[in-house]
Amino acid sequence: MARMFRFLTADEIEVKVKQVKENGLVCLLYKTARTDMDLLDETVGAGNWTNDYKEIKGNLYAGIGIIQENGGIQWKWDCGIESREDEEGNQKKGEASDAFKRAGFRWGIGRELYTSPSVWIPSNKAEIKASSFNGKTRFNCYDKFSVEKIAYDEKTGRITGLAIRNDTKNLRAFVWQQS
């Protein structure tokens, strides 16, 4: 079956620091809900898709429906998880956004991100700070990272090349090419 949605471009992919150690950090690639909305508008037209939310057994599900030629709507749904633990009520907003993005994955939007290599950035490519609390040392990194380049295998949809920049330090922090 042919892809409905094109591959994500470098500027549509975000980089998040997942884990920080003394000798480096692990990063993940992700997409935002805005990226999904933009790709839906671009691919099927702003008036040809809709979304909805349902709570099932305490879990929030988002559905993305695409209007078909016969006027019917084909739906794909997925569940989200709470995020952004803060005192401003953003947990539910994060859950709704996560559910929407996961429904987008069901349609194939950004599914190629699941083929990302492990992203390890060594400590000489990022500023890692240590702090102690109750005798335990924690490591943090507040640098901002972005995808500089990304390449795909058009047939399989797998990532074949990836370059990540440390925007804070203005340097290339990670390079990977499938061998």
Side-chain angles (χ1 to χ4, degrees):
M1 185 173 172
R3 287 183 65 91
M4 179 183 287
F5 296 94
R6 63 171 172 74
F7 295 121
L8 298 180
T9 59
D11 63 328
E12 292 171 324
I13 302 168
E14 305 288 327
V15 179
K16 172 170 59 174
V17 175
K18 176 69 174 168
Q19 182 182 29
V20 182
K21 296 182 178 185
E22 184 175 15
N23 62 339
L25 50 107
V26 176
C27 290
L28 300 175
L29 304 182
Y30 71 100
K31 62 181 178 140
T32 67
R34 285 184 192 91
T35 297
D36 286 75
M37 290 180 240
D38 289 344
L39 277 174
L40 284 158
D41 288 350
E42 173 188 310
T43 305
V44 302
N48 295 317
W49 69 275
T50 187
N51 66 301
D52 193 11
Y53 293 89
K54 296 178 184 178
E55 189 172 329
I56 301 172
K57 295 183 179 181
N59 296 310
L60 185 64
Y61 284 77
I64 296 174
I66 295 179
I67 299 170
Q68 306 298 298
E69 287 182 14
N70 65 6
I73 300 176
Q74 183 178 352
W75 289 92
K76 296 201 178 186
W77 293 82
D78 210 328
C79 179
I81 59 170
E82 286 186 3
S83 62
R84 291 186 58 190
E85 295 180 23
D86 61 24
E87 302 301 319
E88 298 176 22
N90 287 315
Q91 297 91 331
K92 289 296 180 187
K93 180 180 175 192
E95 184 179 12
S97 177
D98 187 55
F100 184 82
K101 291 183 292 183
R102 291 170 63 93
F105 277 123
R106 295 272 182 168
W107 278 105
I109 301 172
R111 194 176 292 162
E112 60 273 13
L113 296 180
Y114 286 128
T115 71
S116 174
S118 296
V119 177
W120 172 259
I121 297 176
S123 59
N124 66 333
K125 303 280 184 169
E127 186 172 343
I128 296 174
K129 296 183 179 186
S131 61
S132 293
F133 183 73
N134 288 339
K136 292 191 177 191
T137 302
R138 290 187 152 185
F139 298 98
N140 295 300
C141 179
Y142 300 103
D143 292 357
K144 300 293 181 203
F145 298 90
S146 63
V147 174
E148 181 180 9
K149 294 180 182 180
I150 191 161
Y152 303 100
D153 180 311
E154 295 289 328
K155 292 179 185 170
T156 65
R158 298 185 66 78
I159 296 172
T160 58
L162 179 64
I164 295 177
R165 286 197 67 74
N166 180 329
D167 297 325
T168 305
K169 295 178 76 95
N170 195 27
L171 58 83
R172 185 175 280 171
F174 176 85
V175 177
W176 175 83
Q177 188 168 353
Q178 184 179 37
S179 50

